[in-house]
Amino acid sequence: MTRDQILSLSGERFTAVYRIVCKPAEAEARARDICVEQTIEFPEALVTDASIRDQVIGRVLSLQAVGEDRFEALIGYPVEAAGRELTQLINVLFGNISIKPGVRLIGFELPESLARQYRGPRFGQSGLRALVDVHDRPLLCTAIKPMGLSPVALADLAYRLALGGIHLIKDDHGLSDQTFCRYEERVRRCAEAVERANRETGQRCLYLPNVTAPAGEIASRARLAKDAGAGGLLFCPGLAGFDAMRALADDDELALPILSHPAFQGTFCVHPDAGLSHGVLYGQLNRLAGADATIFPSWGGRFAFTQAECRDLVAGATRPMGELRTIFPVPGGGMRLDRVAELRDFYGRDCILLIGGDLHAQGTDLVENCRRFAELTA
């Protein structure tokens, strides 16, 4: 290495906590393996340059037992390894090591120098509250469904939901650009229907179409939504990528709130000894990528998240992360009206309660069912 190529990094590091499942005699080697795999991905014994060994390879800052054959390793990585891209930051946090069994990323901390590279949520909790002008209670959300309805039928549904007092009406994540329900017609009709209801009620309900799409179509669908009068966007980062969502959030001409949907992400977190913690996946990563609210299946619904996992998720959505705004947790997944009080007690006022099918199951008057939903959260 010539003199002008001498490696000289800042010495500043970001940290990640991993849970490792292994026998005690293997713990140190497994932790060290993460350090190497997530940085140089090269046999450490073959690294002859001391500056690479000392400055680039991750460091085990602590290692402690947290249960039988379970350990937590705090590892520090040089901030320079993350570059200036969200894709590379995620790669360092959990790239190759995600392929090895018995490793789970359960949290990370970024120094200010790295955190400020990301704008994060444009609105966050406070900004989204300002958009709908609701400040002292949980917000209400639902989805237009089922798949198979025409744009006209979905717009009529959106109109009645908005009349009933719902604050955020999103496309079901399964609505895309199917031949039986084309994207442009659906978005224009639903945006107009919600705006018409807003004029009648004086409220500020937002319609959020699903802009998850092939890579080359995401931006154009988002701009069409904006032009049509949509109040926000639904996006599935598990399908189209966290950085694709970040690009939407950072677009100053778009400037719409984003509701993140968990489609395709379940296997990243459901096994307790692998993948990502709920707080990392649905909280911290969504915030870095600019989501203003994060949908997840709450405990007690038709999915299998536990109360502890939901608390971890809420912590990831609201814990301090430099200057990044806190975002709304949006518990859903088979929630019912008769559980609203229980959900409010558990999640507090700073959440968005998502109820879908049960609004349609409580008799034939959908508008009144929505008003009942609002009364239960007032």
Side-chain angles (χ1 to χ4, degrees):
M1 182 175 287
T2 61
R3 183 174 298 277
D4 66 347
Q5 294 176 313
I6 292 174
L7 192 65
S8 179
L9 304 187
S10 66
E12 192 170 26
R13 293 188 173 242
F14 64 99
T15 59
V17 179
Y18 301 90
R19 183 165 298 148
I20 305 170
V21 180
C22 64
K23 297 299 181 183
E26 303 170 352
E28 289 189 16
R30 290 291 302 277
R32 186 63 184 171
D33 179 56
I34 296 173
C35 294
V36 174
E37 192 68 53
Q38 291 305 101
T39 52
I40 62 171
E41 193 195 351
F42 190 80
E44 189 173 7
L46 300 181
V47 178
T48 59
D49 190 323
S51 64
I52 292 178
R53 289 199 307 270
D54 296 340
Q55 298 182 62
V56 176
I57 299 175
R59 295 177 185 169
V60 180
L61 304 178
S62 68
L63 180 65
Q64 59 182 352
V66 293
E68 184 177 358
D69 294 340
R70 280 168 173 75
F71 300 83
E72 283 188 4
L74 175 65
I75 293 177
Y77 300 106
V79 294
E80 291 86 352
R84 301 185 62 83
E85 304 90 27
L86 179 60
T87 47
Q88 174 59 9
L89 174 59
I90 296 174
N91 187 34
V92 175
L93 286 169
F94 205 61
N96 273 9
I97 207 66
S98 69
I99 307 170
K100 297 193 176 185
V103 181
R104 184 174 178 89
L105 175 63
I106 62 174
F108 61 89
E109 298 285 347
L110 306 182
E112 178 57 30
S113 64
L114 188 52
R116 67 169 173 255
Q117 295 182 22
Y118 303 98
R119 292 176 60 171
R122 180 178 292 268
F123 297 90
Q125 289 189 8
S126 60
L128 197 47
R129 282 192 178 281
L131 287 177
V132 298
D133 195 25
V134 177
H135 303 279
D136 58 355
R137 53 176 286 186
L139 304 187
L140 312 181
C141 181
T142 194
I144 52 172
K145 57 172 69 177
M147 181 190 295
L149 293 180
S150 69
V152 172
L154 289 172
D156 177 68
L157 185 59
Y159 172 72
R160 287 183 288 144
L161 292 166
L163 277 186
I166 301 298
H167 303 124
L168 295 99
I169 299 172
K170 70 177 186 69
D171 275 357
D172 183 64
H173 74 280
L175 295 176
S176 180
D177 187 33
Q178 291 95 343
T179 56
F180 52 81
C181 188
R182 301 313 299 258
Y183 175 80
E184 181 172 356
E185 182 184 359
R186 179 179 76 251
V187 171
R188 293 192 184 281
R189 287 184 180 276
C190 288
E192 188 282 327
V194 169
E195 177 56 31
R196 178 159 44 94
N198 284 341
R199 291 195 300 269
E200 295 177 21
T201 64
Q203 298 184 116
R204 299 183 187 173
C205 175
L206 305 180
Y207 165 59
L208 297 88
N210 178 24
V211 298
T212 311
E217 298 181 31
I218 293 172
S220 61
R221 289 197 193 180
R223 286 181 172 78
L224 188 152
K226 171 93 171 185
D227 292 343
L233 307 172
L234 180 77
F235 195 76
C236 302
L239 297 175
F242 278 108
D243 198 62
M245 183 165 72
R246 180 210 53 77
L248 291 174
D250 287 355
D251 188 334
D252 291 328
E253 294 184 3
L254 197 59
L256 290 174
I258 297 174
L259 185 54
S260 176
H261 190 282
F264 200 65
Q265 293 181 326
T267 54
F268 297 167
C269 70
V270 293
H271 195 291
D273 294 335
L276 306 166
S277 74
H278 296 67
V280 166
L281 179 60
Y282 299 115
Q284 289 187 280
L285 292 182
N286 268 312
R287 288 169 73 186
L288 281 175
D292 299 286
T294 177
I295 300 173
F296 61 96
S298 180
W299 63 274
R302 67 179 189 273
F303 298 93
F305 284 16
T306 67
Q307 289 191 8
E309 290 165 345
C310 291
R311 288 191 184 98
D312 178 54
L313 190 153
V314 172
T318 58
R319 61 180 289 187
M321 286 183 67
E323 299 299 317
L324 295 183
R325 294 176 175 87
T326 60
I327 66 175
F328 274 114
V330 188
M335 298 298 100
R336 305 185 309 273
L337 288 175
D338 62 11
R339 292 195 58 214
V340 166
E342 179 184 28
L343 293 169
R344 180 167 180 171
D345 287 345
F346 184 83
Y347 292 105
R349 62 186 285 276
D350 288 323
C351 67
I352 300 175
L353 297 180
L354 171 57
I355 296 183
D358 200 52
L359 288 177
H360 303 262
Q362 304 296 320
T364 58
D365 194 331
L366 182 59
V367 174
E368 285 304 315
N369 293 342
C370 293
R371 289 173 178 162
R372 180 184 167 208
F373 186 15
E375 290 170 0
L376 290 170
T377 58

